Amino acid sequence: MEEKNKSIIFKSSNIINNFEFKDSNIEEVIIQSSISKIEPEAFKNAKKLKKVVIPNSVVEIGSDAFFGCENIREIIIPNSVLHIGENAFWGCKRLERVVLSSALSVIENETFCSCSSLKEIIIPEGVLKIKKGAFSLCDNLESVRLPNTLKKIAEYAFFCCTSLNDINMPLSVKQIKAHAFSSCRSLQNIKIESSLSKIEKYLFSDCPSLSSISLPGSIKKIENGAFNSCFSLKEIIIPNGVKKIGKKTFSYCNSLERVSLPSTLEVIKDKAFENCKNIKKIHIPDSVREIGEDVFSYCTSLEVATIGTNVVELKDRVFNKCDNLRDITLPKNLKNIGYRAFYECRFLQNIIIPDHVEEIGEEAFCNCKMLEKVVIPNSVNRIKKGCFKGSLNLKEVVLPSLLSAIEQEAFFGCTSLSKIVFPSSLKTIDDEAFASCYKLKEVKIPTTLEEVGNKVFNNCKMLN
């Protein structure tokens, strides 16, 4: 080994040993052809290192070999190199150009993580896997060319590559793991032509520039948060074959206007379309048997919704604060309507509650200010707390013949309600159940009533 002007030339030894130049002040390294291996951490944190010449005798670069060498600007890895260890070039902040060996089959964990000046990378043909975080936090990376041999892209592989603007996924790719492209904030277009069977958790979440994506017909599941906070996405066509849409899959996709759901879909999990403020119409096919909580919560432009025949439960807050919902068709086999299911659906005028409904949750229709008439089926035996509270335009209510209880504030503030007929089955009316029903002037109370709460008809000014 010869040292001159802070340059190091290797002449004879076979390897560069572990830690040999860790934390050193060397600026240039020219490795001659006797070297076959650069051991782990050999140049770790050699922060002044600007140039490295690697000969075609080298077959392996160890893990962390050039970790934190933040002044290297170019690295050409010869075709003799069969393996580069994980974190090998982690945090090489000024690295602008990389040429990879054509003999590589794997890009290891975080190999080029935090190489914040890297603008382009060409993954050579022959690479089968890109491992966890391999190019994560490369925030100036604009272009990535993936090889036709690639099979797997691991978790966080391109996480937070904030300048990356498009991706063409080769047919060969079989698996892309969670968060692989999340927080790629400039990503506009994705074309997936591979045989993926599912879109993994948070795969493209927080990609606010993403405006279009083409999904292959091989997809069977779209997992939790896959497209969460893709603010520019306007349309999504879920291909036939998809059976499940996971939690928060499209939540906060504020520009999403059109959603096409396939006839194979069975499950839509919690908050799947929460805060999609531009969806106007949704048709849920008959194949769907489960709709989770908050699925369409805060979809403030939603006007029309049709729910397929196999749904038996509307879970909590499913249409919560859908301000413009005017027309909804409920399935005939529906049994339960959950807590705040239609809370503050202010423009909902009419709703037909199917005959098989057994339970309507607390505040289910609270503050539905335009609701005019409700017929509650005979299968319901209890009207829960605040169920129709604040429904200012509610003029007519038909109570079920087997009703046993009306809970606290159930019809509080229904200021247009003028008449109520209680069935003979009624046993209990709780506190303030009809308080502030200003126009209520006729009430027929059955002799079977056993318990009457406080202020049941408080502030009902027209009631004698």
Side-chain angles (χ1 to χ4, degrees):
M1 182 178 72
E2 176 183 311
E3 185 172 345
K4 183 179 181 181
N5 296 326
K6 296 185 180 178
S7 296
I8 298 196
I9 301 173
F10 293 90
K11 289 185 175 180
S12 56
S13 56
N14 293 325
I15 62 172
I16 302 173
N17 294 318
N18 303 64
F19 321 116
E20 191 161 350
F21 299 97
K22 183 180 179 180
D23 300 315
S24 72
N25 290 320
I26 56 171
E27 294 179 8
E28 183 177 344
V29 173
I30 300 172
I31 303 170
Q32 291 192 340
S33 58
S34 57
I35 300 296
S36 61
K37 184 178 181 181
I38 301 171
E39 290 279 9
E41 301 190 38
F43 296 93
K44 186 174 182 178
N45 289 326
K47 294 187 182 299
K48 294 186 178 180
L49 185 61
K50 294 178 181 178
K51 182 179 179 181
V52 178
V53 178
I54 301 173
N56 59 14
S57 58
V58 173
V59 295
E60 184 176 350
I61 299 171
S63 58
D64 297 275
F66 295 93
F67 181 104
C69 294
E70 56 188 43
N71 275 294
I72 295 178
R73 284 169 167 77
E74 179 181 83
I75 194 80
I76 298 173
I77 299 169
N79 292 337
S80 58
V81 174
L82 303 176
H83 184 254
I84 302 171
E86 58 187 39
N87 305 314
F89 296 92
W90 196 102
C92 294
K93 295 192 293 187
R94 290 176 177 81
L95 185 62
E96 296 176 359
R97 182 170 180 258
V98 173
V99 177
L100 292 172
S101 166
S102 63
L104 294 173
S105 60
V106 175
I107 310 293
E108 289 287 356
N109 296 340
E110 300 190 4
T111 302
F112 295 96
C113 177
S114 293
C115 292
S116 53
S117 297
L118 190 63
K119 291 187 175 183
E120 180 184 14
I121 191 74
I122 298 172
I123 313 292
E125 295 295 326
V127 170
L128 303 174
K129 295 180 185 177
I130 300 173
K131 288 195 172 182
K132 183 177 179 179
F135 297 94
S136 61
L137 300 168
C138 292
D139 51 18
N140 275 295
L141 187 63
E142 296 174 359
S143 175
V144 174
R145 189 189 301 174
L146 301 174
N148 292 316
T149 53
L150 189 63
K151 304 288 186 188
K152 180 181 177 181
I153 301 173
E155 298 93 332
Y156 296 94
F158 295 92
F159 169 74
C160 212
C161 291
T162 54
S163 298
L164 188 63
N165 52 48
D166 72 281
I167 288 289
N168 283 319
M169 204 66 61
L171 280 165
S172 57
V173 175
K174 306 292 185 188
Q175 189 176 37
I176 310 173
K177 298 294 283 183
H179 291 275
F181 293 93
S182 63
S183 296
C184 291
R185 300 185 64 81
S186 297
L187 190 62
Q188 295 180 21
N189 301 295
I190 305 165
K191 189 174 183 181
I192 302 175
E193 295 182 335
S194 64
S195 54
L196 290 177
S197 62
K198 65 179 175 178
I199 304 294
E200 293 273 6
K201 292 179 181 179
Y202 297 93
L203 182 54
F204 298 103
S205 66
D206 192 28
C207 293
S209 300
L210 184 64
S211 59
S212 69
I213 182 162
S214 175
L215 297 176
S218 56
I219 298 291
K220 298 293 184 288
K221 290 181 182 179
I222 303 176
E223 295 287 10
N224 297 353
F227 297 95
N228 178 280
S229 297
C230 291
F231 300 141
S232 298
L233 191 64
K234 290 186 176 182
E235 181 178 16
I236 189 75
I237 299 171
I238 312 293
N240 255 325
V242 171
K243 294 184 177 182
K244 175 188 170 186
I245 297 174
K247 292 180 181 180
K248 298 184 178 182
T249 299
F250 297 97
S251 61
Y252 292 89
C253 291
N254 293 338
S255 298
L256 190 61
E257 296 175 358
R258 293 175 297 278
V259 177
S260 177
L261 302 176
S263 59
T264 55
L265 188 63
E266 296 177 0
V267 176
I268 305 172
K269 299 298 281 185
D270 300 351
K271 301 186 178 184
F273 295 94
E274 181 189 29
N275 256 293
C276 292
K277 294 184 182 295
N278 275 296
I279 295 177
K280 291 185 177 181
K281 184 177 181 180
I282 194 75
H283 172 72
I284 298 172
D286 290 342
S287 56
V288 173
R289 53 182 172 77
E290 179 186 339
I291 300 174
E293 296 179 0
D294 294 283
V295 166
F296 298 102
S297 188
Y298 294 94
C299 291
T300 52
S301 295
L302 185 64
E303 295 178 3
V304 180
T306 306
I307 302 174
T309 56
N310 284 314
V311 174
V312 295
E313 180 180 12
L314 292 182
K315 293 188 177 179
D316 296 350
R317 300 172 304 275
V318 64
F319 291 99
N320 173 51
K321 294 197 175 184
C322 292
D323 292 351
N324 282 289
L325 186 63
R326 288 166 164 80
D327 184 3
I328 183 156
T329 304
L330 299 179
K332 63 181 182 180
N333 295 318
L334 189 67
K335 291 185 176 181
N336 295 320
I337 298 174
Y339 169 71
R340 289 194 170 188
F342 296 93
Y343 181 79
E344 288 195 4
C345 293
R346 295 183 299 172
F347 285 94
L348 186 64
Q349 285 187 308
N350 298 294
I351 189 161
I352 298 172
I353 300 175
D355 291 340
H356 295 289
V357 168
E358 298 171 357
E359 183 174 333
I360 303 174
E362 293 182 5
E363 300 185 8
F365 295 94
C366 180
N367 290 336
C368 291
K369 297 181 185 298
M370 299 299 290
L371 192 62
E372 294 181 352
K373 180 180 178 180
V374 172
V375 177
I376 302 172
N378 291 330
S379 47
V380 174
N381 65 13
R382 193 175 195 91
I383 298 175
K384 294 200 170 181
K385 180 181 177 181
C387 191
F388 296 95
K389 181 180 178 179
S391 296
L392 304 180
N393 211 37
L394 187 61
K395 296 178 176 68
E396 184 179 357
V397 176
V398 178
L399 297 176
S401 60
L402 299 177
L403 186 67
S404 64
I406 300 174
E407 293 187 2
Q408 183 179 355
E409 298 184 342
F411 293 92
F412 182 102
C414 293
T415 55
S416 297
L417 190 63
S418 61
K419 179 181 177 182
I420 193 81
V421 177
F422 296 122
S424 59
S425 57
L426 188 65
K427 305 292 184 187
T428 304
I429 305 176
D430 283 347
D431 299 350
E432 298 186 285
F434 293 90
S436 296
C437 292
Y438 301 141
K439 292 185 179 180
L440 189 61
K441 56 186 178 182
E442 185 178 349
V443 174
K444 293 182 180 180
I445 298 177
T447 57
T448 54
L449 195 63
E450 297 174 357
E451 184 177 347
V452 178
N454 295 321
K455 299 181 180 181
V456 169
F457 297 103
N458 183 53
N459 209 19
C460 294
K461 297 176 180 179
M462 298 183 72
L463 190 64
N464 294 322

